[in-house]
Amino acid sequence: MPKIVGIDLGTTNSLVAFVEAGQPVVITSAEGSELVPSIVGFSKSGERLVGDLAKRQAISNPERTTTIISIKRHMGTDFKAQIDDKVYTPQEISAMILQKMKADAEAFLGEAVEKAVITVPAYFNDSERQATKDAGTIAGLEVVRIINEPTAAAIAYGLDKQQELLKILVFDLGGGTFDVSVLEIGEGTYQVISTCGDMRLGGDDWDQRIMDYLVDEFKKQNSIDLRIDRVAMQRLKDAAEQAKKELSTETATTVNLPFLAADASGPKHLEMELTRARFEELTKDLVERLKGPFDKALADSGLRLGQIQKVILVGGCTRMPMVQAFAKKISGKEPTRDVDPDKVVSMGAAIQGGVLAGEVKDMVLLDVTSLSMGIETAGGVFTRIIERNSQIPISKQKVFTTAADGQTTVEVHVLQGERDLAAHNRSLGRFELKNIPPSPKGIPQIEVAFEIDANGILNVSARDRATNNKQKITIQSPTNLTPEEIDRMVKEAQTYQEEDAKLKVERQARTLADQEIESAEKLLREHGSRFATDKLQRVRDVIERLRAVLEALDEERTIEYTKVLKGLVYNLSSEMYAQPAEPEAAPMSGGAPPPGVSDSGDEEILSWFQK
Ligand code: AMP
């Protein structure tokens, strides 16, 4: 059976794993390590270097500006990396890393590797996921599934604990990023309930603090500023990381860098002791920064701390005792770290690969959307189609209609966010559905379907039910959303909740009033001669009053007069066609059908497009 490998395509390091006899195994690279630095470099002769070789070159040859690190931060953007006279997209650079992972796996397994499960942060948006998938394709891999990193970690832990349903918190501190996710696992399912993080907080910051300390001390002792010496700084960076790692198990370490600089008096060596206590003091504020995303993820999950049954540590930096102690302090639980924090994500991805290949059975994956998605409807209102934190894969549809008589085109403006008005949310893309047969407003039925696949990629389609005419887009959004931005959007929605709801009702009321006036005037224009003068006068009076209250921004009376006018128009139409009357006007706030549209029963809502 061909293997489906699991790849943790990390910001700092990448790993590839596979399942053997039901157990995940991390593959050792050609250079002999399980962690492959996510670094791409080009040698002087133009040879492409990936992983350890690229990292080594960056240290030994820091003058060359052809080393690319942390490309993951640029996935899904239009960032370009310039190397000599060529430019590369983030997908192409990531593909170079994936190609190496593929080659290492093939050498290790002794067979061709064509399929992979790749992990991404839970907050990655559509374009970032798509870019990751594209990177796989460029590398010659069929990406059978993109899964969230905390989900993969939970899978690695959950394999032998499938009978219980647990609420767990995944605390992931890697080289460059920090993520907290709350999941529910057990009974063969895994669900991300909430996620939050800091894209700019990771092991590199701890390294930097050690570097700063060493540079300052060196300057005090030798009056030499190492910051202007790139070669020295590269050596220091490496030594700082090494010292950080040593301080995870030792209470003190010595940084020893001979011949680091020189002045008139001769060569200068750096030899300094660093204690764990001093290191913890230097990085106290970094540890404090872990609290915000933790609190936010927990609040978003709607769970109390007491309901979290397990805290899992992921990422190499969770080996630092200060991080473990902090995670324990804020969660009130002894964190679980039975599985190597560097490998756990790749192992979970491998297990998922095993499930998809049919090697590991009985597991269903459930992930969630981090923001609501929907479209813009009349009055600039945001109508949600898929709610925030919905489980994916998911498909949902709603039926909409036109806002004007004879309208033959509708614009579908797809947005993401939590605010009630479209303008306050993030635009993901737009398209038009044309050639709708001209008919009175409210008659056409346009079915808008949102579908998020298991990889988190969004497809939106609009179909005219009368003609079956269809248009669709796959969302390729031009910008990125960081966890901070998601946070901000959710927070703003909470802050403006009341104001937005009011504005939404107001906009809908005004739209409906305008539509009602238009209908009434049309009726008077085309069939006025068929009604008694007093009835006509009554309609004209109500139109006039409705216009006045619209002008005066009197929302309450706008709703009231709209209802009255609707009733009058309905009565006149009934009289005209001698149909049994049922003049109750539809309520506004529930997005009820505009006049003339029948609710077909199976749809939850009928709304209308912006003209
Ligand atoms: P990851 O992104 O999960 O591969 O984590 C990489 C980060 O973990 C880097 O900043 C490493 O320096 C850091 N790291 C790895 N091992 C240790 C350790 N024993 N103690 C502290 N940090 C570590």
Side-chain angles (χ1 to χ4, degrees):
M1 194 189 297
K3 295 267 180 222
I4 300 181
V5 297
I7 300 178
D8 170 5
L9 184 60
T11 309
T12 319
N13 295 303
S14 296
L15 294 93
V16 53
F18 72 105
V19 168
E20 190 172 43
Q23 290 301 318
V25 178
V26 177
I27 285 166
T28 305
S29 73
E31 291 74 36
S33 63
E34 293 170 321
L35 267 72
V36 173
S38 302
I39 302 179
V40 174
F42 289 78
S43 71
K44 279 185 181 141
S45 57
E47 188 194 352
R48 185 199 296 170
L49 305 168
V50 181
D52 284 304
L53 299 179
K55 191 172 183 176
R56 248 177 265 156
Q57 175 188 250
I59 295 167
S60 61
N61 188 14
E63 296 307 324
R64 267 187 81 72
T65 51
T66 52
T67 302
I68 300 156
I69 59 160
S70 304
I71 194 65
K72 187 169 172 179
R73 295 192 194 281
H74 302 290
M75 289 300 265
T77 69
D78 50 14
F79 172 87
K80 298 276 186 316
Q82 169 103 34
I83 294 154
D84 297 331
D85 53 352
K86 281 188 84 172
V87 287
Y88 297 92
T89 62
Q91 292 91 311
E92 287 172 304
I93 299 295
S94 296
M96 293 173 193
I97 299 166
L98 289 172
Q99 245 166 6
K100 169 161 177 62
M101 310 310 291
K102 179 178 187 288
D104 282 348
E106 288 176 339
F108 190 91
L109 292 168
E111 63 183 55
V113 170
E114 270 147 18
K115 295 183 179 184
V117 169
I118 302 182
T119 59
V120 295
Y123 57 80
F124 252 28
N125 66 18
D126 304 317
S127 58
E128 290 159 331
R129 284 165 199 266
Q130 186 64 54
T132 305
K133 226 179 156 184
D134 292 346
T137 310
I138 299 168
L141 284 166
E142 181 192 336
V143 182
V144 289
R145 188 67 66 89
I146 297 275
I147 63 171
N148 290 334
E149 287 157 10
T151 306
I155 290 174
Y157 271 101
L159 190 58
D160 49 354
K161 306 181 185 79
Q162 288 187 64
Q163 298 314 313
E164 319 157 59
L165 196 66
L166 293 175
K167 307 256 189 324
I168 66 161
L169 187 138
V170 180
F171 191 99
D172 181 351
L173 184 62
T177 57
F178 173 54
D179 299 305
V180 181
S181 309
V182 178
L183 285 83
E184 190 168 61
I185 67 164
E187 295 171 349
T189 64
Y190 297 78
Q191 184 193 346
V192 179
I193 304 173
S194 63
T195 181
C196 185
D198 187 334
M199 278 260 273
R200 303 270 158 199
L201 182 63
D204 295 346
D205 298 297
W206 272 260
D207 300 347
Q208 188 62 46
R209 289 293 164 86
I210 298 181
M211 283 173 76
D212 290 344
Y213 171 74
L214 297 176
V215 168
D216 290 346
E217 290 296 309
F218 192 83
K219 194 168 179 191
K220 271 188 225 156
Q221 289 170 16
N222 302 292
S223 305
I224 296 175
D225 187 2
L226 295 170
R227 285 198 172 83
I228 50 172
D229 182 345
R230 287 185 63 171
V231 177
M233 289 305 277
Q234 268 300 340
R235 287 180 66 197
L236 266 170
K237 188 169 156 38
D238 215 32
E241 187 183 359
Q242 200 48 44
K244 173 188 73 176
K245 288 183 182 173
E246 278 165 20
L247 289 174
S248 288
T249 47
E250 311 298 326
T251 50
T253 184
T254 303
V255 181
N256 207 334
L257 290 168
F259 301 98
L260 192 61
D263 63 11
S265 65
K268 301 281 171 213
H269 316 297
L270 182 145
E271 191 181 334
M272 262 174 233
E273 186 180 66
L274 182 62
T275 63
R276 188 192 286 170
R278 183 87 185 96
F279 177 42
E280 293 185 351
E281 208 178 289
L282 292 171
T283 53
K284 215 161 127 199
D285 59 311
L286 296 176
V287 176
E288 289 294 330
R289 277 173 61 194
L290 301 170
K291 190 164 187 312
F294 174 91
D295 287 344
K296 183 76 178 68
L298 189 69
D300 276 0
S301 73
L303 297 173
R304 280 173 290 105
L305 205 47
Q307 292 172 284
I308 302 286
Q309 289 146 299
K310 234 178 193 325
V311 176
I312 291 182
L313 297 186
V314 176
C317 289
T318 59
R319 289 208 186 86
M320 287 190 277
M322 66 178 112
V323 174
Q324 291 174 1
F326 193 76
K328 182 176 171 184
K329 188 176 119 197
I330 50 174
S331 70
K333 273 199 182 49
E334 187 67 55
T336 310
R337 27 190 191 97
D338 320 341
V339 184
D340 187 326
D342 279 317
K343 299 188 203 165
V344 62
V345 170
S346 66
M347 286 160 79
I351 294 170
Q352 181 58 28
V355 172
L356 294 168
E359 279 183 81
V360 183
K361 301 234 157 33
D362 299 333
M363 229 187 279
V364 184
L365 255 187
L366 296 171
D367 272 351
V368 297
T369 54
S370 49
L371 289 169
S372 301
M373 295 179 199
I375 64 166
E376 179 172 351
T377 52
V381 167
F382 174 58
T383 299
R384 285 177 175 74
I385 295 188
I386 292 180
E387 296 285 338
R388 168 176 158 75
N389 283 338
S390 297
Q391 288 169 12
I392 61 166
I394 188 173
S395 63
K396 283 230 163 155
Q397 58 181 52
K398 279 187 180 169
V399 178
F400 297 82
T401 189
T402 47
D405 288 335
Q407 186 178 339
T408 55
T409 299
V410 289
E411 187 189 54
V412 182
H413 182 195
V414 183
L415 301 123
Q416 186 178 37
E418 303 311 315
R419 302 283 297 272
D420 283 334
L421 294 187
H424 294 147
N425 288 324
R426 177 171 177 260
S427 175
L428 293 177
R430 40 177 108 215
F431 65 97
E432 287 188 337
L433 180 69
K434 294 191 173 137
N435 302 325
I436 299 168
S439 50
K441 68 180 174 218
I443 296 296
Q445 294 198 0
I446 315 294
E447 195 178 277
V448 176
F450 272 52
E451 199 186 305
I452 307 180
D453 69 13
N455 300 323
I457 291 162
L458 171 67
N459 280 294
V460 180
S461 66
R463 181 176 72 91
D464 176 2
R465 284 184 167 175
T467 59
N468 244 342
N469 192 4
K470 193 171 167 177
Q471 271 303 326
K472 59 171 274 190
I473 47 166
T474 298
I475 299 300
Q476 307 273 2
S477 67
T479 50
N480 267 358
L481 275 191
T482 62
E484 293 82 31
E485 282 170 310
I486 293 178
D487 254 26
R488 181 181 50 74
M489 289 167 82
V490 173
K491 266 198 200 118
E492 268 177 18
Q494 285 161 355
T495 313
Y496 295 107
Q497 199 170 16
E498 256 177 50
E499 207 173 296
D500 279 4
K502 204 166 156 277
L503 262 174
K504 179 177 171 178
V505 171
E506 208 174 283
R507 294 271 190 107
Q508 284 177 328
R510 297 183 70 79
T511 307
L512 211 54
D514 285 339
Q515 289 181 343
E516 211 48 62
I517 292 174
E518 203 186 308
S519 298
E521 287 184 329
K522 187 166 178 243
L523 186 74
L524 296 189
R525 220 172 29 246
E526 292 173 5
H527 305 285
S529 59
R530 299 164 71 162
F531 306 112
T533 340
D534 59 331
K535 285 185 182 165
L536 291 179
Q537 195 48 49
R538 172 105 179 94
V539 173
R540 284 196 192 101
D541 282 352
V542 176
I543 291 177
E544 201 172 308
R545 276 187 221 176
L546 182 51
R547 284 219 164 96
V549 293
L550 263 173
E551 182 104 340
L553 301 176
D554 181 342
E555 184 199 321
E556 215 171 285
R557 288 208 289 170
T558 298
I559 295 174
E560 199 182 307
Y561 284 128
T562 305
K563 278 189 187 172
V564 174
L565 186 59
K566 192 179 170 99
L568 288 176
V569 169
Y570 191 91
N571 284 341
L572 290 185
S573 310
S574 304
E575 193 180 304
M576 204 165 80
Y577 295 111
Q579 282 173 349
E582 197 190 328
E584 189 51 47
M588 310 258 321
S589 52
V597 178
S598 62
D599 191 330
S600 58
D602 59 330
E603 278 102 26
E604 184 195 343
I605 186 173
L606 277 160
S607 190
W608 49 91
F609 278 99
Q610 207 183 5
K611 265 190 232 184

Coordinates of all heavy atoms in Angstrom, one line a residue, residues 98 114-118 132-137 141-146 455:
L98 N 9.6 21.2 0.8 CA 8.8 20.0 0.7 C 9.5 18.9 -0.2 O 9.4 17.7 0.1 CB 7.5 20.3 0.2 CG 6.6 21.0 1.2 CD1 5.3 21.5 0.5 CD2 6.2 20.2 2.4
E114 N 4.3 9.9 -2.9 CA 3.6 10.8 -3.8 C 2.5 11.5 -3.1 O 2.0 12.5 -3.6 CB 3.0 10.0 -5.0 CG 4.0 9.9 -6.1 CD 3.9 8.7 -6.9 OE1 2.9 7.9 -6.8 OE2 4.9 8.4 -7.7
K115 N 2.1 11.1 -1.9 CA 1.0 11.7 -1.2 C 1.4 12.1 0.2 O 2.2 11.5 0.8 CB -0.2 10.7 -1.1 CG -0.8 10.3 -2.5 CD -2.0 9.4 -2.3 CE -2.5 9.1 -3.7 NZ -3.7 8.3 -3.5
A116 N 0.8 13.3 0.6 CA 1.1 13.8 1.9 C 0.0 14.5 2.6 O -0.9 15.0 1.9 CB 2.3 14.7 1.8
V117 N 0.0 14.5 3.9 CA -0.9 15.3 4.7 C 0.0 16.4 5.2 O 1.1 16.1 5.7 CB -1.5 14.5 5.9 CG1 -2.1 15.5 6.9 CG2 -2.4 13.5 5.4
I118 N -0.3 17.7 5.0 CA 0.5 18.8 5.5 C -0.2 19.6 6.6 O -1.4 19.8 6.5 CB 0.9 19.7 4.3 CG1 1.7 18.9 3.3 CG2 1.9 20.8 4.8 CD1 2.2 19.7 2.1
T132 N -0.2 26.6 0.6 CA 0.5 25.4 1.2 C 0.2 24.2 0.3 O 1.1 23.5 0.0 CB 0.0 25.2 2.6 OG1 0.2 26.3 3.4 CG2 0.8 24.0 3.3
K133 N -1.0 24.1 -0.1 CA -1.4 23.0 -1.0 C -0.6 23.1 -2.4 O -0.1 22.1 -2.9 CB -2.9 23.1 -1.3 CG -3.5 21.7 -1.2 CD -5.0 21.8 -1.4 CE -5.5 20.5 -1.8 NZ -6.9 20.4 -2.2
D134 N -0.6 24.3 -2.9 CA 0.2 24.6 -4.1 C 1.6 24.3 -4.0 O 2.2 23.7 -4.9 CB 0.0 26.1 -4.6 CG -1.4 26.4 -4.9 OD1 -2.2 25.4 -5.1 OD2 -1.8 27.6 -5.0
A135 N 2.2 24.6 -2.8 CA 3.6 24.3 -2.6 C 3.8 22.8 -2.7 O 4.8 22.3 -3.3 CB 4.1 24.8 -1.2
G136 N 2.9 22.0 -2.2 CA 3.0 20.6 -2.2 C 2.9 20.1 -3.7 O 3.7 19.3 -4.1
T137 N 2.0 20.7 -4.4 CA 1.9 20.3 -5.8 C 3.2 20.6 -6.6 O 3.6 19.8 -7.4 CB 0.7 21.1 -6.5 OG1 -0.4 20.9 -5.6 CG2 0.4 20.5 -7.9
L141 N 4.0 16.6 -4.9 CA 3.2 15.8 -3.9 C 1.7 16.0 -4.1 O 1.3 17.2 -4.3 CB 3.6 16.2 -2.5 CG 4.9 15.7 -1.9 CD1 5.3 16.5 -0.7 CD2 4.8 14.2 -1.6
E142 N 0.9 15.0 -4.0 CA -0.5 15.2 -3.9 C -0.9 15.4 -2.5 O -0.6 14.6 -1.6 CB -1.2 14.0 -4.5 CG -2.7 14.2 -4.5 CD -3.5 12.9 -4.7 OE1 -2.9 11.9 -5.3 OE2 -4.7 12.8 -4.3
V143 N -1.3 16.6 -2.2 CA -1.7 17.0 -0.8 C -3.1 16.4 -0.5 O -4.1 17.1 -0.9 CB -1.6 18.5 -0.5 CG1 -1.9 18.8 0.9 CG2 -0.2 19.0 -0.9
V144 N -3.2 15.3 0.1 CA -4.5 14.7 0.3 C -5.3 15.4 1.4 O -6.5 15.3 1.4 CB -4.4 13.2 0.5 CG1 -4.0 12.4 -0.7 CG2 -3.5 12.9 1.7
R145 N -4.6 16.1 2.3 CA -5.4 16.7 3.3 C -4.4 17.8 4.0 O -3.3 17.6 4.1 CB -5.8 15.7 4.4 CG -6.7 16.2 5.5 CD -8.1 16.6 5.1 NE -8.9 15.5 4.6 CZ -9.7 14.7 5.3 NH1 -9.8 14.9 6.6 NH2 -10.5 13.9 4.7
I146 N -5.1 19.0 4.2 CA -4.3 20.0 5.0 C -5.0 19.9 6.4 O -6.2 20.0 6.5 CB -4.6 21.4 4.5 CG1 -4.0 21.5 3.1 CG2 -4.1 22.5 5.4 CD1 -2.6 21.9 3.0
N455 N -9.8 20.9 3.7 CA -8.6 21.7 3.8 C -8.8 23.1 4.2 O -7.9 23.9 4.2 CB -7.8 21.6 2.4 CG -7.5 20.2 2.0 OD1 -7.2 19.4 2.9 ND2 -7.6 19.9 0.8

